[in-house]
Amino acid sequence: MAARGGVLDGVHEEIGRREEESLDAVRAWLRVPSFSDTGEGIETCAAYTRDLLSGIAADAAVVPTAGHPVVVGTVPSADPHAPTLLVYGLYDVTPTIAAEWTVDPFEAPIVDAKDIGLLPHLGRVLVGRGANNHKGPVLAAILAVKALLDAGASPPANLVFVIEGEEEVGSPSLPLFLEGRQDLLGAVDGVWLPCMQQNSSGVMTLRRAYKGSLWTELSCVGGRDGAGGPRDGRHLWAGHSAWMDAPMMRLVRALASLFDDRQRVTVDGVAERVRPPVPEDAPEVARLAKAFDANPQWERNMLANLNATGFMGGQRLSAHLAHYMLGTTLNIQGIVGGYQGPRYYTMMPGQARAKLDFRFPPGIEPEELAELVQAHLDRRGYADVRVADARGYPGSAGVPEDRDTLLRAAQDTARSHGVPVDVWPIANNCCPAALLTGLGREVPFSVAGAGHGDRAHAPDEYITVGSVRALMDWTVDFIGAWARTFNA
């Protein structure tokens, strides 16, 4: 690691002294449930988040919205010329299926990685829902700023924390919240989502652009829009499926029309509207594919951590990399309908539903994509399959690299920490970057940070125990590097 000197040496020494205390603080927060899907624990966790933030921000507050509240707070710099960095985070988490976890999802134990089927070289890991996404990273950033303040230093940038409670369900209340807080956001010069971005081989992935997302539900009810079947949605005897529309079967066929046998989206009009940041045959795409082919251990590590046997079609990961980065993807989260009892019931469901999520490059709005899906279904005779509860956000094209001060600062900080970096044009991860940077001027967005974690949204989500300290050290240096880059 490069020498720092002066006050920063004292800050990093203090971070080292607080390592165990900081890890315990993360564990305590992980034990506070906060399911945005059901609302369970949200109000309690919002207040808990405010209390954590109040350790550095005297004005920390819980701000109500039409949905779940947003926690905000500011930490001003003593430098009158300091730029303003919005630190974005989330306190909500995805649902858990406790039976699929090796440990209690909310006990936050520290275990040996090999004992829960992870790569042995990871050593000791902290396991729990929200460890990696996103309580662990956001609290590491807060605690880093606290160490800076406690050392008597002023942050080199004005910091505005915005920590929401609906990211995992599409951030539906965030646009209206942002519209009403221009007093807080009007001076923002950059937006950072702190993350533990190193893979299990130590390489940090940075991105230039960010995908958007659409969450939606398809439903099919008998008797709707000219379809046969019972008009009231009640079920019938299974034998009637010989001559009557069966909603569950129609929904399955409608879903199958949305993608091909390689899981590529086939919705009419989507390909013409999205704008990937680079073409599939761009040199940087080829370079990344070659890097994966040259480092097969990266693939082996990923498969081991995901407890998977291989990639789609038995191909190498590199064969799917361009689509992962640049394509529009569809996932069926779940299908509901009919009898789910212990044996069998020869019934034909009168209605069925499926929950979907799409991820797409910039160029299309989520509402527009939902309309294209409905039009696609209508043209194929599935007018009785309706799109409902569409929510999400557009993708963010980012800013040119020569003006992306956050990307350059992340590269400089990684270099000073001895961390190798890969810069991707975009990836299949989603976050509301476009909402946070839609401030009427060019504002860069960054997902960056030291440390390693994985299995977000999956059982046995984890971070390595050293990642909290690693991200705290990174945070202090990264904010300083960005302020210097911005003012250069």
Side-chain angles (χ1 to χ4, degrees):
M1 187 178 296
R4 302 180 183 95
V7 174
L8 279 186
D9 281 343
V11 174
H12 288 285
E13 289 171 4
E14 185 60 28
I15 287 173
R17 284 192 291 270
R18 297 181 182 185
E19 181 172 7
E20 186 173 347
E21 174 187 335
S22 300
L23 189 62
D24 286 343
V26 171
R27 297 178 72 189
W29 197 17
L30 297 183
R31 295 180 181 123
V32 182
S34 49
F35 297 113
S36 49
D37 183 44
T38 63
E40 179 188 349
I42 284 291
E43 295 296 331
T44 298
C45 193
Y48 195 102
T49 307
R50 177 205 56 211
D51 292 346
L52 292 172
L53 189 57
S54 67
I56 61 172
D59 60 352
V62 175
V63 180
T65 72
H68 301 329
V70 177
V71 179
V72 299
T74 61
V75 185
S77 172
D79 181 356
H81 304 294
T84 297
L85 180 66
L86 190 155
V87 183
Y88 167 71
L90 51 139
Y91 64 85
D92 64 312
V93 298
T94 54
T96 57
I97 301 174
E100 295 188 357
W101 285 67
T102 308
V103 303
D104 185 325
F106 293 96
E107 188 178 288
I110 294 175
V111 301
D112 286 332
K114 60 180 175 55
D115 291 342
I116 60 170
L118 299 176
L119 293 162
H121 81 264
L122 296 175
R124 296 165 68 234
V125 293
L126 167 56
V127 187
R129 177 57 86 225
N132 182 40
N133 181 31
H134 185 255
K135 290 177 177 176
V138 74
L139 185 50
I142 291 172
L143 294 175
V145 175
K146 181 169 175 53
L148 184 75
L149 297 173
D150 288 350
S154 168
N158 300 303
L159 304 177
V160 177
F161 284 82
V162 174
I163 307 172
E164 68 159 315
E166 294 183 335
E167 197 278 341
E168 300 294 6
V169 292
S171 303
S173 301
L174 190 60
L176 192 58
F177 165 81
L178 295 173
E179 286 179 16
R181 296 308 303 264
Q182 286 305 305
D183 60 319
L184 191 69
L185 306 173
V188 167
D189 300 300
V191 181
W192 175 45
L193 171 62
C195 277
M196 296 164 182
Q197 279 293 100
Q198 292 177 261
N199 65 22
S200 56
S201 298
V203 179
M204 182 182 298
T205 301
L206 303 175
R207 297 185 285 278
R208 295 195 185 96
Y210 301 89
K211 285 191 178 182
S213 190
L214 166 68
W215 286 260
T216 192
E217 180 176 282
L218 302 188
S219 68
C220 185
V221 178
R224 175 195 280 172
D225 294 314
R231 289 189 295 267
D232 58 9
R234 294 191 292 176
H235 68 273
L236 297 174
W237 171 54
H240 289 303
S241 63
W243 50 41
M244 196 168 291
D245 287 329
M248 177 68 82
M249 297 172 73
R250 286 186 60 77
L251 176 65
V252 169
R253 292 198 298 273
L255 287 168
S257 79
L258 300 177
F259 56 93
D260 63 19
D261 57 2
R262 297 187 68 210
Q263 296 178 196
R264 302 311 200 239
V265 170
T266 57
V267 176
D268 301 334
V270 173
E272 293 78 14
R273 286 169 172 78
V274 297
R275 296 194 303 271
V278 297
E280 284 201 9
D281 58 355
E284 59 191 297
V285 177
R287 178 187 62 78
L288 287 167
K290 288 179 181 177
F292 273 91
D293 284 340
N295 294 278
Q297 188 62 46
W298 295 355
E299 288 188 9
R300 290 194 289 269
N301 287 352
M302 182 185 298
L303 291 172
N305 273 358
L306 298 179
N307 195 26
T309 57
F311 298 100
M312 190 189 309
Q315 295 178 301
R316 296 287 304 274
L317 184 148
S318 58
H320 303 286
L321 190 63
H323 184 63
Y324 178 87
M325 289 191 290
L326 308 171
T328 297
T329 63
L330 165 63
N331 173 57
I332 301 173
Q333 298 179 9
I335 301 177
V336 179
Y339 179 65
Q340 301 296 327
R343 293 292 184 267
Y344 302 96
Y345 176 15
T346 53
M347 54 91 85
M348 183 181 81
Q351 54 187 299
R353 304 187 311 278
K355 294 183 183 293
L356 316 179
D357 60 82
F358 291 84
R359 297 160 185 262
F360 47 87
I364 190 170
E365 297 289 328
E367 297 81 5
E368 182 184 8
L369 177 54
E371 291 171 359
L372 290 176
V373 171
Q374 187 65 70
H376 171 101
L377 296 172
D378 292 348
R379 277 191 292 273
R380 284 158 179 76
Y382 297 111
D384 54 323
V385 178
R386 309 303 298 172
V387 175
D389 191 31
R391 62 177 65 177
Y393 38 77
S396 173
V399 301
E401 186 167 351
D402 62 337
R403 298 197 297 274
D404 192 337
T405 53
L406 283 168
L407 177 62
R408 287 155 51 201
Q411 291 172 310
D412 289 346
T413 307
R415 191 177 302 113
S416 72
H417 283 236
V419 173
V421 168
D422 262 335
V423 180
W424 293 31
I426 197 170
N428 213 34
N429 315 70
C430 292
C431 63
L435 302 180
L436 293 156
T437 58
L439 302 170
R441 61 190 186 284
E442 190 176 77
V443 178
F445 185 97
S446 175
V447 176
H452 169 71
D454 205 348
R455 299 192 61 83
H457 293 215
D460 294 341
E461 177 180 354
Y462 74 90
I463 57 175
T464 59
V465 293
S467 290
V468 173
R469 177 178 177 178
L471 185 52
M472 290 174 68
D473 281 325
W474 165 279
T475 296
V476 172
D477 292 339
F478 174 62
I479 294 172
W482 177 66
R484 291 191 299 273
T485 302
F486 185 87
N487 288 322

